Amino acid sequence: MRKSTLMPLLIGACAVAGPADAQEHSLDHFGPWTLLHSRSGCLGTYTRESQAFQIHASSDAEGLIALKSDSTRAFRNDETVPIMMTWAFADGQSMDVDVEMTVVSGSTAFQAPLDRSISVLRTGPRITATHNGQSIYDLHLPADADSDRFYDAFEACRRAE
């Protein structure tokens, strides 16, 4: 995805509605997950200590996945950084992904097909990421009842877009 398209999507996803928009958004909690539904789409966030995992949908098909940590906060806004991610699964399998990510407000983000991504995320992978050989992210997403409720609500939210 080109930066000119990614930037407004991520900025819209990360914006918190102000008082004037109070009737135009909803915020739901599912254990450690939050789901913000607003005019700019659906934004799901899982936070653990100083790291966050976010998934954003502005349409039913395509979305963004963003990773935020103390290390990613050090990158410059609008910078494109090569990231090596490893997604490790409970069954012992893993998937390595090299991706160019765009930095916005301390998060690194990339475009992702939502149907496939959500089915993978429901398994509770551990996601690690490195940049230039240095660890920048390490978060294990849960696979529990709260997460199932969150993913069901996220799916309903994005299909309403």
Side-chain angles (χ1 to χ4, degrees), residues 10 67-78 102-109:
L10 190 57
L67 311 176
K68 189 174 213 170
S69 70
D70 290 338
S71 295
T72 64
R73 287 177 185 91
F75 294 133
R76 291 185 315 272
N77 269 344
D78 202 28
T102 300
V103 179
V104 176
S105 299
S107 291
T108 52

Side-chain angles (χ1 to χ4, degrees), residues 27-63:
L27 181 65
D28 298 304
H29 297 273
F30 306 90
W33 291 94
T34 59
L35 177 60
L36 175 67
H37 184 190
S38 68
R39 285 180 284 149
S40 66
C42 309
L43 175 65
T45 304
Y46 174 79
T47 304
R48 180 97 173 157
E49 298 173 4
S50 65
Q51 298 187 102
F53 173 88
Q54 294 182 312
I55 185 167
H56 177 260
S58 57
S59 73
D60 184 32
E62 291 294 319

Side-chain angles (χ1 to χ4, degrees), residues 74-88:
F75 294 133
R76 291 185 315 272
N77 269 344
D78 202 28
E79 183 178 7
T80 299
V81 292
I83 303 291
M84 171 60 177
M85 289 190 299
T86 299
W87 295 54

Side-chain angles (χ1 to χ4, degrees), residues 8-28:
L9 283 174
L10 190 57
I11 289 168
C14 295
V16 176
D21 295 329
Q23 300 300 319
E24 299 183 30
H25 79 277
S26 65
L27 181 65
D28 298 304

